[in-house]
């Protein structure tokens, strides 16, 4: 199994043996595509899932610095922190595999903390808006998390 993220169409496809098993809307970098650290852009190229974080957490669990906070997203919590970039439910932490493009130096996807992760139901999916990560509906990220092993391939392209 592998993932393809079409950054132009804001779609994620889960492939298995030439067949699409799942297609879902995502929200990628509000600043567009790019690999430079601090750019707020979503990196392109070949990646792998380097770590899976959040197994067994309830839907909507809030993560800070890749650790569950114990808080679950609610509209009331959202209203208290309106500008927060919410990382919810599960994290699939990506690592680039193309040296000089998305691996090592100032273009290292892993060191940029680029994830596939859940987002509040109020997030508009299907259009860019993240700080570089790939935001997904909580049910979609949970399904991917359960199906993909660490090391699964992820291709991000325009």
């Amino acid at each position: 199994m592998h993932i393809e993220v079409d950054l132009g169409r804001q779609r994620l496809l889960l492939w298995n043996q030439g067949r699409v098993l799942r297609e879902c809307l995502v929200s990628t970098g509000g600043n567009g595509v790019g690999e430079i650290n601090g750019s707020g852009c979503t990196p392109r190229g070949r990646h792998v899932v380097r770590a899976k974080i959040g197994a067994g957490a309830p839907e909507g669990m809030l993560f800070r610095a890749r650790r569950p906070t114990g808080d679950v997203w609610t509209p009331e919590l959202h209203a208290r922190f309106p500008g927060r970039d919410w990382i919810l439910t599960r994290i699939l932490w990506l690592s680039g595999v193309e040296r000089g493009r998305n691996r090592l130096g100032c273009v290292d996807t892993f060191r940029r903390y680029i994830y596939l992760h859940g987002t509040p139901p109020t997030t508009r999916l299907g259009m860019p808006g993240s700080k570089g990560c790939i935001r997904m509906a909580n049910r979609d990220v949970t399904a991917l998390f359960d199906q993909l092993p660490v090391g699964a391939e992820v291709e991000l392209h325009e």
Side-chain angles (χ1 to χ4, degrees), residues 4-13 15 20 23-28 33 125-128 157-158:
E4 172 189 356
V5 179
D6 185 325
L7 301 167
R9 292 182 54 234
Q10 296 291 293
R11 299 284 190 283
L12 178 146
L13 293 100
W15 291 88
V20 175
E23 180 174 355
C24 54
L25 292 173
V26 297
S27 176
T28 62
V33 296
L125 298 174
M127 59 187 301
H157 67 82
E158 295 178 86

Coordinates of all heavy atoms in Angstrom, one line a residue, residues 4-13 15 20 23-28 33 125-128 157-158:
E4 N -0.8 8.6 -2.3 CA -0.5 9.7 -3.3 C -1.3 10.9 -2.8 O -2.5 10.8 -2.6 CB -0.9 9.2 -4.7 CG -0.8 10.3 -5.7 CD -1.5 9.9 -7.0 OE1 -1.9 8.7 -7.2 OE2 -1.5 10.8 -7.9
V5 N -0.6 12.0 -2.7 CA -1.3 13.3 -2.4 C -1.2 14.2 -3.5 O 0.0 14.6 -3.9 CB -0.8 13.9 -1.1 CG1 -1.5 15.3 -0.8 CG2 -0.9 13.0 0.1
D6 N -2.3 14.6 -4.2 CA -2.3 15.5 -5.3 C -2.5 16.9 -4.7 O -3.6 17.2 -4.3 CB -3.4 15.1 -6.3 CG -3.4 16.0 -7.5 OD1 -3.1 17.2 -7.4 OD2 -3.8 15.5 -8.6
L7 N -1.4 17.6 -4.6 CA -1.5 18.9 -4.0 C -2.3 20.0 -4.7 O -2.9 20.9 -4.1 CB 0.0 19.5 -3.8 CG 0.9 18.5 -3.0 CD1 2.3 19.0 -3.1 CD2 0.4 18.5 -1.5
G8 N -2.4 19.8 -6.0 CA -3.2 20.7 -6.8 C -4.7 20.5 -6.6 O -5.5 21.4 -6.5
R9 N -5.1 19.2 -6.6 CA -6.5 18.8 -6.4 C -6.9 18.7 -5.0 O -8.1 18.5 -4.7 CB -6.8 17.5 -7.1 CG -6.6 17.6 -8.6 CD -7.0 16.3 -9.3 NE -8.3 15.8 -8.9 CZ -8.5 14.5 -8.4 NH1 -7.5 13.7 -8.3 NH2 -9.7 14.1 -8.1
Q10 N -5.9 18.8 -4.0 CA -6.2 18.7 -2.6 C -6.9 17.3 -2.3 O -7.9 17.3 -1.6 CB -7.0 19.8 -2.1 CG -6.3 21.2 -2.2 CD -5.1 21.3 -1.2 OE1 -5.3 21.3 0.0 NE2 -3.9 21.3 -1.8
R11 N -6.3 16.3 -2.9 CA -6.9 14.9 -2.7 C -5.8 14.0 -2.3 O -4.7 14.0 -2.7 CB -7.5 14.4 -4.0 CG -8.6 15.2 -4.6 CD -9.9 14.9 -3.9 NE -11.1 15.5 -4.5 CZ -11.4 16.7 -4.6 NH1 -10.7 17.6 -4.0 NH2 -12.5 17.1 -5.2
L12 N -6.2 13.0 -1.4 CA -5.3 11.9 -1.0 C -5.9 10.6 -1.5 O -7.1 10.4 -1.4 CB -5.1 11.9 0.5 CG -4.3 10.8 1.1 CD1 -3.6 11.3 2.3 CD2 -5.1 9.5 1.4
L13 N -5.0 9.8 -2.1 CA -5.5 8.5 -2.5 C -4.6 7.4 -1.9 O -3.4 7.5 -1.8 CB -5.3 8.3 -4.1 CG -6.3 9.2 -4.9 CD1 -5.5 10.5 -5.3 CD2 -6.8 8.5 -6.0
W15 N -3.5 3.7 -2.3 CA -3.4 2.7 -3.3 C -3.0 1.3 -2.8 O -2.2 1.3 -1.8 CB -2.4 3.1 -4.4 CG -2.7 4.3 -5.2 CD1 -2.5 5.6 -4.9 CD2 -3.4 4.2 -6.5 NE1 -3.0 6.4 -5.9 CE2 -3.5 5.6 -6.9 CE3 -3.8 3.2 -7.3 CZ2 -4.1 5.9 -8.1 CZ3 -4.4 3.6 -8.5 CH2 -4.5 4.9 -8.9
V20 N -7.4 2.0 -6.2 CA -7.6 3.0 -5.1 C -8.6 2.5 -4.1 O -9.7 2.1 -4.4 CB -8.2 4.3 -5.7 CG1 -8.6 5.3 -4.6 CG2 -7.2 4.9 -6.7
E23 N -10.2 7.5 -1.2 CA -9.9 8.9 -1.7 C -10.5 9.9 -0.8 O -11.7 9.7 -0.4 CB -10.4 9.1 -3.1 CG -10.1 10.5 -3.7 CD -10.5 10.6 -5.1 OE1 -10.9 9.7 -5.8 OE2 -10.3 11.8 -5.6
C24 N -9.8 10.9 -0.3 CA -10.4 11.9 0.6 C -9.8 13.2 0.3 O -8.7 13.4 -0.2 CB -10.2 11.4 2.0 SG -8.5 11.1 2.5
L25 N -10.6 14.2 0.7 CA -10.1 15.6 0.7 C -9.1 15.9 1.7 O -9.2 15.3 2.8 CB -11.3 16.6 0.9 CG -12.4 16.6 -0.2 CD1 -13.5 17.4 0.3 CD2 -11.8 17.2 -1.5
V26 N -8.2 16.8 1.4 CA -7.2 17.2 2.4 C -7.0 18.7 2.3 O -7.6 19.4 1.4 CB -5.8 16.5 2.1 CG1 -5.9 15.0 2.3 CG2 -5.2 16.9 0.8
S27 N -6.2 19.3 3.2 CA -5.9 20.7 3.2 C -4.4 20.7 3.4 O -3.9 20.3 4.4 CB -6.6 21.5 4.3 OG -6.1 22.8 4.3
T28 N -3.6 21.3 2.4 CA -2.2 21.3 2.5 C -1.8 22.8 2.7 O -2.6 23.6 3.1 CB -1.6 20.8 1.2 OG1 -2.0 21.5 0.1 CG2 -2.0 19.3 1.0
V33 N 3.3 25.1 -2.3 CA 4.3 24.0 -2.2 C 5.7 24.5 -2.1 O 6.0 25.5 -2.7 CB 4.1 23.0 -3.4 CG1 2.8 22.3 -3.4 CG2 4.4 23.7 -4.7
L125 N -11.7 21.5 4.1 CA -10.9 20.6 3.4 C -11.1 20.8 1.9 O -12.2 21.3 1.5 CB -11.1 19.1 3.8 CG -10.8 18.8 5.2 CD1 -11.3 17.4 5.6 CD2 -9.4 19.0 5.6
G126 N -10.1 20.4 1.1 CA -10.3 20.6 -0.4 C -9.6 21.9 -0.8 O -9.7 22.2 -2.0
M127 N -9.0 22.6 0.1 CA -8.3 23.9 -0.2 C -7.1 24.0 0.7 O -7.2 23.6 1.8 CB -9.3 25.1 -0.2 CG -9.9 25.3 1.2 SD -11.1 26.6 1.2 CE -10.2 28.0 0.6
P128 N -6.1 24.7 0.2 CA -4.9 24.9 1.1 C -5.2 25.7 2.3 O -6.1 26.6 2.2 CB -3.9 25.6 0.1 CG -4.3 25.3 -1.3 CD -5.8 25.1 -1.2
H157 N 2.7 15.4 -4.8 CA 3.0 16.0 -6.1 C 1.9 17.0 -6.5 O 0.8 17.0 -5.9 CB 3.1 15.0 -7.2 CG 1.8 14.3 -7.5 ND1 0.8 14.8 -8.3 CD2 1.3 13.1 -7.0 CE1 -0.2 14.0 -8.3 NE2 0.0 12.9 -7.6
E158 N 2.3 17.9 -7.4 CA 1.3 19.0 -7.9 C 0.5 18.4 -9.0 O 0.8 17.5 -9.7 CB 2.1 20.2 -8.4 CG 2.9 20.9 -7.3 CD 3.7 22.0 -7.8 OE1 3.1 23.1 -7.9 OE2 4.9 21.8 -8.1

